[in-house]
């Protein structure tokens, strides 16, 4: 039983499900706090998306300006 509970608390897929369940419970029990948490998480997801796009654009720009015989950067 202890091992099973440990797996449920440390498994990355399970943590996502627990977090989602916690946000749903928070939104049901305390809607203003739930909206605040949801807004913060949405802003964080938007930041991650924009950062990934910016990194991609920078990589493309660097690739376009590097000499053709230069090795590609990772």
């Amino acid at each position: 039983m202890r091992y099973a509970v440990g797996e449920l608390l440390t498994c990355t897929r399970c943590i996502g499900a627990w977090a989602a369940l916690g946000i749903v419970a928070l939104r049901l029990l305390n809607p203003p706090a739930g909206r605040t948490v949801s807004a913060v998480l949405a802003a964080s997801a938007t930041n991650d998306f924009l950062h990934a796009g910016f990194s991609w654009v920078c990589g493309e720009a660097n690739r376009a300006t590097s000499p053709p015989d230069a090795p590609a950067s990772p």
Side-chain angles (χ1 to χ4, degrees):
M1 183 66 168
R2 184 176 175 187
Y3 177 77
V5 171
E7 281 292 312
L8 287 174
L9 295 176
T10 59
C11 167
T12 55
R13 291 183 68 148
C14 299
I15 289 295
W18 287 116
L21 182 62
I23 292 170
V24 169
L26 182 61
R27 291 201 60 154
L28 289 174
L29 298 174
N30 190 348
R35 282 191 298 271
T36 301
V37 169
S38 295
V40 168
L41 292 174
S44 177
T46 302
N47 178 51
D48 288 345
F49 178 76
L50 291 174
H51 181 72
F54 180 74
S55 295
W56 178 79
V57 169
C58 286
E60 290 297 314
N62 290 338
R63 195 173 359 267
T65 59
S66 65
D69 59 337
S73 63

